[in-house]
Amino acid sequence: MDSLRPELFDFKGVSMSRYFTDNWENIQNFQARPDDILIATYPKAGTTWVSYILDLLYFGQISPERQTSIPIYQRVPFLELNISFEETGVNLADRLPTSPRLIKTHFPIQFVPKSFWEQNCRMVYVARNAKDNVVSYFHFDRMNKVQPEPGDWNSYLHRFMEGKVVFGSWHDHVNGWWKKKQSYSKLHYMFYEDMIEDTGREIDKLCSFLGLSPSVEEKKRITDGVQFDNMKKNDMANYSTLTIMDFKVSPFMRKGKVGDWKNHFTAAQNEEFDEDYEKKMKDSTLQFRTEI
Ligand code: A3P
């Protein structure tokens, strides 16, 4: 399995691995449909959580068997994924029988295929504070055999600060999508911390963006179903069916908390990170909460 681990390289100014660039032409030529919904995130910001919420909102009632038989990563294809033993994200999306199609990407804004803009598709972006995001990404890279070797925590943290991890700089990613939101009205920008604080409230906001009005019972069913402990034990949502992930190293549904960074950052690392963060985010109006 270890031979699967790829190298990181510069791809059009963004650190990437071959698993997300090899299918570039097909990805860029992907034909979006007007009702497609693109779920976009920097890795480990809550992609699976929001994907599952959207899937339940659209298909929870009309096809309940989907919930017990199809893993979330097949219901919501990962557009740029191209690993030899899985169907490519593009193919999976092309033959999705559902409408709307829910499609996931970790691309920075400039890599999004142009048909999504041409078709004026709705997009949901989830951002998570940088400190918890890097901790989650570190543990993910330890357990996921198709990610580059993470090395030790201190070196990983420094590479994250430099944007030398797959999908590049966190700062550029959250800011790039945030800027786009100012001009593209069909983009709903959410925060992981808000979802933790009040999942029901954030589902309401999502519904009003999507023009959905689930009944009170349905909304309760969804809000309960997507709580961390329920998703953790749900084999269709917890990635336990994917062999590239070694859950003995770290589970996919790891902690699901705001503030776990405090268990990882030393005082010195925190100071250095804050200083670097201020420089990189000085022109941004984005505000993140590192505790709630
Ligand atoms: P942690 O590693 O901090 O636990 P993604 O889906 O983008 O890969 O993000 C994964 C992160 O979201 C993991 O964070 C995971 O535990 C967390 N997560 C997934 N489902 C969640 C839920 N229902 N509630 C809270 N956090 C959740």
Side-chain angles (χ1 to χ4, degrees):
M1 270 294 205
D2 271 345
S3 61
L4 292 174
R5 285 196 181 269
E7 294 295 317
L8 194 72
F9 66 100
D10 181 279
F11 182 78
K12 301 176 188 291
V14 180
S15 293
M16 295 291 286
S17 84
R18 67 176 188 272
Y19 297 127
F20 307 113
T21 57
D22 274 0
N23 201 25
W24 183 252
E25 290 301 314
N26 290 328
I27 297 164
Q28 291 306 310
N29 292 327
F30 180 74
Q31 283 309 303
R33 297 179 196 148
D35 65 344
D36 285 346
I37 299 173
L38 189 66
I39 300 165
T41 59
Y42 189 79
K44 311 317 289 174
T47 333
T48 315
W49 196 4
V50 159
S51 300
Y52 192 46
I53 292 171
L54 282 173
D55 191 76
L56 286 174
L57 281 169
Y58 281 103
F59 309 114
Q61 279 190 311
I62 57 170
S63 77
E65 74 288 351
R66 180 180 165 91
Q67 302 308 327
T68 50
S69 59
I70 311 175
I72 191 69
Y73 53 85
Q74 285 175 3
R75 291 184 233 167
V76 182
F78 184 3
L79 187 64
E80 55 270 29
L81 184 68
N82 182 46
I83 45 178
S84 57
F85 45 91
E86 290 281 334
E87 191 169 2
T88 66
V90 168
N91 283 354
L92 206 53
D94 274 340
R95 59 176 194 83
L96 265 191
T98 54
S99 176
R101 296 185 300 185
L102 306 174
I103 299 169
K104 151 184 162 179
T105 185
H106 288 319
F107 272 163
I109 192 85
Q110 69 274 23
F111 285 2
V112 173
K114 67 177 184 320
S115 65
F116 284 99
W117 309 116
E118 289 165 354
Q119 298 294 338
N120 206 21
C121 293
R122 275 189 290 234
M123 303 183 187
V124 176
Y125 186 82
V126 193
R128 184 178 194 182
N129 81 75
K131 291 179 183 178
D132 283 324
N133 207 143
V134 60
V135 167
S136 183
Y137 209 176
F138 173 63
H139 289 295
F140 182 70
D141 284 359
R142 289 173 54 233
M143 62 81 105
N144 185 343
K145 299 291 171 60
V146 296
Q147 285 286 95
E149 280 291 348
D152 66 75
W153 162 243
N154 189 54
S155 70
Y156 190 84
L157 180 64
H158 285 89
R159 270 180 282 124
F160 178 88
M161 284 158 62
E162 292 164 26
K164 297 260 166 35
V165 290
V166 182
F167 294 104
S169 154
W170 174 94
H171 314 81
D172 291 349
H173 207 284
V174 296
N175 282 322
W177 280 89
W178 182 246
K179 267 190 215 129
K180 188 71 186 180
K181 177 195 149 64
Q182 316 311 321
S183 59
Y184 188 74
S185 63
K186 288 202 155 178
L187 171 55
H188 182 63
Y189 201 106
M190 307 174 70
F191 295 91
Y192 179 92
E193 295 72 28
D194 291 349
M195 300 220 296
I196 291 279
E197 185 176 65
D198 191 338
T199 312
R201 179 192 66 204
E202 295 307 310
I203 292 179
D204 285 343
K205 287 195 213 160
L206 200 48
C207 287
S208 87
F209 168 70
L210 298 167
L212 299 175
S213 34
S215 66
V216 174
E217 301 76 51
E218 180 58 6
K219 204 196 113 184
K220 184 175 177 341
R221 212 176 61 82
I222 295 174
T223 312
D224 290 348
V226 304
Q227 287 311 304
F228 182 78
D229 291 342
N230 290 335
M231 277 183 66
K232 191 176 169 80
K233 58 184 181 227
N234 178 345
D235 285 344
M236 294 299 116
N238 65 15
Y239 277 75
S240 58
T241 44
L242 260 193
T243 53
I244 52 167
M245 296 183 183
D246 187 347
F247 280 34
K248 288 196 291 299
V249 176
S250 180
F252 183 88
M253 297 284 169
R254 194 183 57 90
K255 285 203 180 166
K257 294 229 172 337
V258 179
D260 185 42
W261 62 271
K262 292 177 190 167
N263 298 316
H264 292 75
F265 282 60
T266 63
Q269 285 168 344
N270 194 33
E271 206 174 299
E272 191 185 348
F273 192 90
D274 283 347
E275 207 176 291
D276 177 71
Y277 185 91
E278 275 198 18
K279 277 190 214 135
K280 295 199 169 108
M281 298 296 279
K282 72 175 182 331
D283 296 325
S284 178
T285 54
L286 264 174
Q287 295 288 335
F288 284 91
R289 293 187 288 171
T290 53
E291 52 195 313
I292 53 174

